[in-house]
């Protein structure tokens, strides 16, 4: 299987990726904007694995996501990317709406467009926090 993980450099995303690489034969593409919450150091133990790859990408970038879906052709999307720090939501609420709402919509549309001819076996998981 091919698994696309958004926000894979975050605390939960990196744990999910490490688990997949260690316990399955699935391929993983990690896309992360690498903001304040992203840390590629948490993926050091898998970053040289041939089944793992990373792309620094903003989920709000429709063109980039369309290319990623066309090139990687994921079977599963695990969407963990989010703005989640409450204090930051007070100082910059637009960033939260952009990433958490608009970015999720773009990601859902990219998956729908990629899978429109055959949804069988395809999965989209949205895992998030109470701030979202």
């Amino acid at each position: 299987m091919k698994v696309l993980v958004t926000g894979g450099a975050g605390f939960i995303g990196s744990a999910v990726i490490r688990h997949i690489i260690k316990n399955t034969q699935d391929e993983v593409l990690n896309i992360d904007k690498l903001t304040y919450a992203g840390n590629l150091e948490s993926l050091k133990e898998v970053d040289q694995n041939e089944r793992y790859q990373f792309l620094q990408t903003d989920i709000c970038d429709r063109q980039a996501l369309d290319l990623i879906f066309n090139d990687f052709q994921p079977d599963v999307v695990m969407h963990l990317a989010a703005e989640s720090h409450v204090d930051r939501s007070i100082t910059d609420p637009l960033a939260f709406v952009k990433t958490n709402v608009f970015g999720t919509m773009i990601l859902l549309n990219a998956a729908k467009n990629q899978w429109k001819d055959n949804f069988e076996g395809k999965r989209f998981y949205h895992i998030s926090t109470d701030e979202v």
Side-chain angles (χ1 to χ4, degrees):
M1 241 188 336
K2 292 184 170 188
V3 181
L4 174 66
V5 178
T6 69
F11 179 74
I12 296 171
S14 63
V16 167
I17 290 171
R18 289 191 309 270
H19 176 81
I20 292 169
I21 295 298
K22 288 179 184 177
N23 297 293
T24 75
Q25 291 303 309
D26 298 342
E27 293 179 50
V28 176
L29 173 58
N30 172 14
I31 62 173
D32 196 299
K33 189 176 174 182
L34 291 181
T35 61
Y36 57 89
N39 180 2
L40 290 177
E41 287 294 316
S42 58
L43 292 157
K44 280 293 185 197
E45 63 188 87
V46 298
D47 70 357
Q48 298 301 309
N49 190 292
E50 64 186 19
R51 293 180 293 110
Y52 171 78
Q53 55 184 308
F54 169 76
L55 290 174
Q56 185 171 356
T57 306
D58 185 343
I59 62 168
C60 294
D61 185 340
R62 171 80 190 225
Q63 290 177 328
L65 284 182
D66 286 342
L67 287 172
I68 288 167
F69 271 81
N70 285 331
D71 291 345
F72 187 64
Q73 298 187 4
D75 301 297
V76 174
V77 174
M78 296 186 76
H79 177 34
L80 296 125
E83 299 288 342
S84 62
H85 294 279
V86 174
D87 291 347
R88 289 179 176 269
S89 73
I90 294 166
T91 58
D92 191 8
L94 184 57
F96 275 65
V97 172
K98 183 179 176 191
T99 299
N100 298 349
V101 178
F102 186 66
T104 299
M105 181 199 68
I106 289 172
L107 192 60
L108 282 164
N109 279 331
K112 182 186 79 166
N113 291 339
Q114 179 69 36
W115 299 337
K116 66 183 174 201
D117 295 327
N118 183 10
F119 282 97
E120 188 173 332
K122 308 299 189 218
R123 297 291 182 264
F124 189 106
Y125 299 104
H126 185 191
I127 300 115
S128 203
T129 68
D130 60 329
E131 287 89 355
V132 174

